[in-house]
Amino acid sequence: MGELAQSMKDERLELARALVSSLEAGRESDAAETFASLRAIHDDALREQTGVTGSELHDRIRRFLEDSHLADIAAGDMPDAAERLRHVIRMTDDAASTTLSVVEGVMPLAGVLQKDSGQLADCWERFRARDLDVHDFRQLSMKLGAFLRDTEANAGELNDQLSRVLLAQEYQDITGQILQQVIELVRDVEGKLEHLMDLAGARPSRYEEQSEDALDTHAQGPIVPGVDRVDSVAGQDEVDDLLSSLGL
Amino acid sequence: MKILVVDDFSTMRRIIKNLLRELGFTNTQEADDGSTALPMLQSGKFDFVVTDWNMPGMQGLDLLKAMRADDALKHIPVLMVTAESKRDQIIEAAQAGVNGYVVKPFTAVTLEEKINKIFERLAA
């Protein structure tokens, strides 16, 4: 411990003892004076560390908290962000369910195709080996006709179902945009917390107040139900109504 | 019919390209934002543009405005397919000269309907 620090400690101890004895003796004004001296020493120590006094620091932090809207973020933006993330979970869940249902639905079609074509191939080989009588050949001909019609229908069904899987991947774009919004909020809060730490320490601040961009008609990403309360359309029908009212 | 699909998410470009193929439009190209799309439009003979709104770099609305201000491109119909669903935004897109507006999430049927409507109007 340095000489200066030791003498500061001695001084504080002395003042603390004086404070206790003043309080015990009921000398309120002496006690208040001693307390003020103690506080001044504390402020000096703080000023040595941070370049500001305790009350200045308190003021700066209070002002920063007001300017940075951290309270608003904690009360509004953070719960909103949680709801946005829940919406992402719901969308990914829906997309996964749709995809799985389609796969489960079309796999039997592939099974039928495999079984029927296998049976026909066996028959066809017997035909090529001249191993079929007229009755068997008639059977083969009928089976082949039915198989071709079924395959045509099943391929159409397969195509429709695969289109559903295709469209279900749309979630990736929308959830990506929503996650981007949350990442921006996290970045913003990170910057503000760093600045708060800078205020208490000697580190120069890298924080810059972000301009509150006028949001009017700039791109804002997807509307999340229950979070975004702006004048938005609820679906394609409302878009169509709005456009037709504009003559489009 | 040569179509340019503009979206920053490759998943969405693939979805739209596949849906367009289902509708019989096989000649499609892709761009990931307006600033990539604009030179492609200027150098290639495109007949139709499907664009997102919210993209890094040049946004869809700015692409639309740039096209409408360019004599060589102003006639090309533009369908906006976007998650942007504020009324003010839709009105602004209409005023900027958009030919159709589809909000995400959308269905294959909606996309087909809007494309058909645009071509019906152009033919009339």
Side-chain angles (χ1 to χ4, degrees):
Chain A
M1 198 179 282
E3 214 171 289
L4 189 70
Q6 184 59 52
S7 80
M8 221 159 102
K9 190 183 167 194
D10 292 347
E11 198 183 347
R12 279 186 298 167
L13 263 173
E14 200 178 304
L15 282 167
R17 287 193 192 102
L19 180 63
V20 171
S21 62
S22 303
L23 284 172
E24 279 172 351
R27 296 195 305 273
E28 287 298 329
S29 65
D30 282 358
E33 205 175 296
T34 314
F35 184 76
S37 306
L38 255 173
R39 187 169 171 174
I41 290 176
H42 178 256
D43 267 8
D44 285 349
L46 201 64
R47 188 200 291 274
E48 220 161 81
Q49 277 177 13
T50 65
V52 292
T53 64
S55 60
E56 275 170 15
L57 181 60
H58 180 261
D59 277 354
R60 282 192 195 181
I61 290 176
R62 190 182 45 77
R63 218 176 310 128
F64 171 73
L65 287 176
E66 280 167 12
D67 292 347
S68 64
H69 307 290
L70 264 177
D72 296 342
I73 291 173
D77 295 359
M78 283 297 178
D80 277 5
E83 188 47 48
R84 279 178 215 281
L85 294 178
R86 278 191 283 273
H87 188 62
V88 167
I89 295 175
R90 282 194 293 272
M91 288 198 77
T92 52
D93 188 45
D94 285 351
S97 301
T98 302
T99 306
L100 288 172
S101 307
V102 169
V103 169
E104 285 165 5
V106 297
M107 275 170 102
L109 292 182
V112 167
L113 188 66
Q114 191 180 22
K115 185 175 126 277
D116 290 355
S117 57
Q119 281 175 358
L120 278 171
D122 290 347
C123 265
W124 186 249
E125 270 162 30
R126 283 177 57 207
F127 170 70
R128 301 257 298 162
R130 299 174 193 280
D131 193 20
L132 285 187
D133 58 25
V134 176
H135 173 73
D136 288 347
F137 179 73
R138 216 173 266 143
Q139 288 283 316
L140 169 63
S141 169
M142 277 167 58
K143 273 189 195 160
L144 194 60
F147 175 76
L148 291 175
R149 283 285 161 233
D150 287 351
T151 303
E152 188 189 18
N154 287 346
E157 172 71 7
L158 203 58
N159 195 59
D160 291 350
Q161 295 303 317
L162 289 177
S163 294
R164 280 183 64 202
V165 172
L166 180 80
L167 205 61
Q169 311 313 308
E170 188 186 22
Y171 81 93
Q172 200 271 337
D173 170 19
I174 298 177
T175 57
Q177 292 188 52
I178 295 172
L179 291 175
Q180 205 64 48
Q181 294 171 337
V182 177
I183 289 170
E184 271 163 34
L185 175 68
V186 171
R187 278 221 185 104
D188 183 35
V189 172
E190 183 191 9
K192 284 172 176 169
L193 291 180
E194 268 185 2
H195 184 67
L196 201 55
M197 293 190 316
D198 292 340
L199 275 180
R203 202 152 61 115
S205 175
R206 282 176 289 130
Y207 174 80
E208 280 164 32
E209 181 69 49
Q210 279 176 348
S211 62
E212 293 283 321
D213 227 34
L215 285 175
D216 51 56
T217 52
H218 284 94
Q220 299 166 29
I223 301 286
V224 177
V227 177
D228 294 302
R229 282 165 285 272
V230 291
D231 187 15
S232 61
V233 294
Q236 188 63 39
D237 287 346
E238 289 190 20
V239 178
D240 295 348
D241 290 346
L242 181 58
L243 288 179
S244 69
S245 76
L246 295 166
L248 243 175
Chain B
M1 171 77 65
K2 192 172 166 189
I3 303 178
L4 184 63
V5 178
V6 192
D7 200 307
D8 54 326
F9 279 86
S10 63
T11 320
M12 187 49 75
R13 291 200 301 271
R14 280 172 67 182
I15 291 172
I16 292 174
K17 274 185 74 167
N18 277 294
L19 291 173
L20 288 172
R21 204 187 49 222
E22 283 287 299
L23 299 175
F25 304 110
T26 49
N27 189 4
T28 49
Q29 288 196 27
E30 300 176 33
D32 60 4
D33 82 327
S35 52
T36 323
L38 206 52
M40 288 175 78
L41 289 166
Q42 280 156 348
S43 61
K45 288 188 184 307
F46 283 94
D47 305 293
F48 191 57
V49 173
V50 179
T51 184
D52 185 20
W53 181 319
N54 190 5
M55 294 176 284
M58 190 186 202
Q59 305 226 332
L61 185 72
D62 297 324
L63 173 65
L64 174 65
K65 287 178 178 168
M67 287 176 67
R68 294 298 177 248
D70 185 332
D71 279 339
L73 307 177
K74 59 164 54 155
H75 66 282
I76 302 177
V78 174
L79 175 66
M80 207 162 244
V81 179
T82 174
E84 303 298 326
S85 56
K86 266 184 77 178
R87 284 175 186 278
D88 291 348
Q89 293 176 308
I90 299 167
I91 294 168
E92 185 168 9
Q95 284 165 348
V98 83
N99 300 79
Y101 200 102
V102 173
V103 284
K104 297 173 185 171
F106 63 99
T107 65
V109 176
T110 306
L111 188 70
E112 182 175 16
E113 248 176 49
K114 302 307 159 200
I115 290 177
N116 287 340
K117 198 173 162 195
I118 288 171
F119 288 119
E120 274 167 26
R121 265 170 193 278
L122 290 176

